[in-house]
Amino acid sequence: MTDLDRLVRDALPGNPSNLREDRYRGDAFDLGSEELAPGEQAALARIYADIQEVYRCWLEVRDLPLSERQPLLRKVIALDDPSIRNAADSLGSSVRRPRSSRVTRILHDVRGGALTALLANAQLLRDEHDPVKLRSAALLARDHAKMMRNALPWIDPAGRALDEQDRPHRIDDLVGKWSDFRFPGPGGTEGQVHVEGLRTGLLAARCLEASAVDRVLYNLMNNAIRFAAGPDVRLAIHRNGSPLVRWIVANEVSDEQAGWIREQTGDEPSRLMLGGVTRGGSGIGLANCVDFIVSAFGLPDVEAAIEGGHTGTLLAEGYFVAWFHWPALDGDAADHPNHSGDSHACPS
């Protein structure tokens, strides 16, 4: 099997540098309610309330026998409703005035993120009451609510205040969430996510930072799942003794897909991270990732993040590979409850 970490190491110009003196809190890429039309505010409030209710119900029934989790199943299936999809799809489309690229890009994360996979799971659970998919739906609802609080501080001020508190988050939950995650693959097949590398340790210093990592990772995973030419998507997490954690997402590509990427980017696939190049998408998701990397490392601009190897993409050995680095959080993970997971104490 292709060693993804080797592919990225070979592409790096050196060790990415961290120019920040303090740790990035995970903020800054958000929208005030006044920047949105009343209809958009209402749509966002509806989505947030519905997915929060799913996660609240999960906390109530997660320790009960499977036969007693029917209330959760009903709430998840209720998300498979055209009105929910229309609410998400309408964000930005009903506003006639020109929008700044910042507003458009933040709405992209709110409209996509974990919501895409959550709605797909809701549809599947109508026909197959799979307990694994049900748990996955609950955690996807949790993650998207967390990302919405990151992008829209006004949506839940009390929850946002908790997110901003110092509370170390562990990587364990993220690994467990993606390991063997199933998705609709090409040609009607079922695809699967495979997790490799680091599986324990600290992820972030607070909920808000963890949600920033989620906003980056979900963009990469959604992109990989959408364009995978094979049944597998790979997520690799490595530290290799450095002060950085390297996150790698890879999907198989066809020769035709690889040729298109090379042609569109002048054989420099990392140009995709600058935005504006897409094949049926918006061209926004990968560019959104770089904004967070620039802030996490205190870099001057997105070009510095790409040139420094902090983030990038490449084509090699039949894969499209995207990566980003994040400053490691040192300490003993065993000393901290898994606040990134299912916790009553933490809104995430």
Side-chain angles (χ1 to χ4, degrees), residues 182-258:
R182 306 281 178 160
F183 61 89
T189 62
E190 184 175 67
Q192 183 174 346
V193 174
H194 301 275
V195 179
E196 311 161 20
L198 187 65
R199 291 178 176 268
T200 60
L202 293 176
L203 167 69
R206 56 193 59 84
C207 285
L208 196 64
E209 182 190 348
S211 63
V213 176
D214 265 340
R215 284 176 67 178
V216 176
L217 190 57
Y218 270 102
N219 270 317
L220 297 185
M221 294 298 291
N222 286 342
N223 186 75
I225 288 170
R226 177 173 184 173
F227 294 108
D232 301 319
V233 166
R234 296 169 60 187
L235 168 61
I237 310 163
H238 294 278
R239 183 167 181 182
N240 299 327
S242 81
L244 309 177
V245 177
R246 181 155 53 242
W247 305 77
I248 307 169
V249 176
N251 60 278
E252 295 177 64
V253 289
S254 66
D255 291 342
E256 191 271 337
Q257 286 175 311

Side-chain angles (χ1 to χ4, degrees), residues 30 69-70 82 89 145 168 173 183 186 205 225 289 307:
D30 52 39
R69 295 184 185 178
Q70 291 303 310
D89 292 342
D173 179 64
F183 61 89
I225 288 170
C289 298
E307 292 170 5

Side-chain angles (χ1 to χ4, degrees), residues 20-279:
R20 287 188 69 104
E21 295 182 359
D22 58 339
R23 189 171 185 87
Y24 173 51
R25 296 186 60 84
D27 56 0
F29 298 102
D30 52 39
L31 292 176
S33 59
E34 71 282 356
E35 298 181 86
L36 300 169
E40 292 175 315
Q41 295 177 37
L44 290 165
R46 158 80 187 282
I47 293 169
Y48 184 78
D50 286 351
I51 62 178
Q52 274 287 81
E53 182 62 18
V54 166
Y55 186 59
R56 183 200 62 76
C57 187
W58 163 252
L59 293 177
E60 290 181 352
V61 306
R62 60 181 175 174
D63 296 325
L64 299 179
L66 293 178
S67 59
E68 297 181 34
R69 295 184 185 178
Q70 291 303 310
L72 174 63
L73 179 64
R74 288 193 293 270
K75 289 182 184 298
V76 173
I77 291 176
L79 295 177
D80 183 31
D81 185 301
S83 66
I84 297 287
R85 297 180 188 275
N86 291 340
D89 292 342
S90 70
L91 296 173
S93 63
S94 61
V95 179
R96 297 184 182 278
R97 67 181 184 275
R99 307 297 286 267
S100 71
S101 62
R102 184 181 68 86
V103 173
T104 301
R105 289 167 70 164
I106 293 173
L107 285 178
H108 172 276
D109 283 0
V110 173
R111 193 167 47 234
L115 186 63
T116 302
L118 173 58
L119 296 183
N121 264 19
Q123 187 174 33
L124 292 172
L125 282 165
R126 279 194 180 278
D127 303 317
E128 178 189 4
H129 297 173
D130 181 346
V132 175
K133 286 188 173 66
L134 186 61
R135 179 181 183 275
S136 176
L139 298 186
L140 288 166
R142 175 204 65 192
D143 286 356
H144 198 70
K146 181 170 59 175
M147 285 187 278
M148 289 186 74
R149 291 193 299 272
N150 183 298
L152 310 165
W154 50 271
I155 200 85
D156 180 357
R160 170 68 181 232
L162 286 174
D163 289 348
E164 292 174 347
Q165 294 178 4
D166 289 343
R167 185 185 288 115
H169 281 52
R170 291 166 49 181
I171 202 170
D172 311 42
D173 179 64
L174 183 144
V175 173
K177 174 178 63 188
W178 285 113
S179 185
D180 299 324
F181 180 85
R182 306 281 178 160
F183 61 89
T189 62
E190 184 175 67
Q192 183 174 346
V193 174
H194 301 275
V195 179
E196 311 161 20
L198 187 65
R199 291 178 176 268
T200 60
L202 293 176
L203 167 69
R206 56 193 59 84
C207 285
L208 196 64
E209 182 190 348
S211 63
V213 176
D214 265 340
R215 284 176 67 178
V216 176
L217 190 57
Y218 270 102
N219 270 317
L220 297 185
M221 294 298 291
N222 286 342
N223 186 75
I225 288 170
R226 177 173 184 173
F227 294 108
D232 301 319
V233 166
R234 296 169 60 187
L235 168 61
I237 310 163
H238 294 278
R239 183 167 181 182
N240 299 327
S242 81
L244 309 177
V245 177
R246 181 155 53 242
W247 305 77
I248 307 169
V249 176
N251 60 278
E252 295 177 64
V253 289
S254 66
D255 291 342
E256 191 271 337
Q257 286 175 311
W260 184 90
I261 292 171
R262 290 192 175 98
E263 179 182 353
Q264 295 296 315
T265 64
D267 208 19
E268 296 180 27
S270 283
R271 288 179 56 192
L272 292 172
M273 307 299 284
L274 299 175
V277 179
T278 183
R279 197 177 194 185

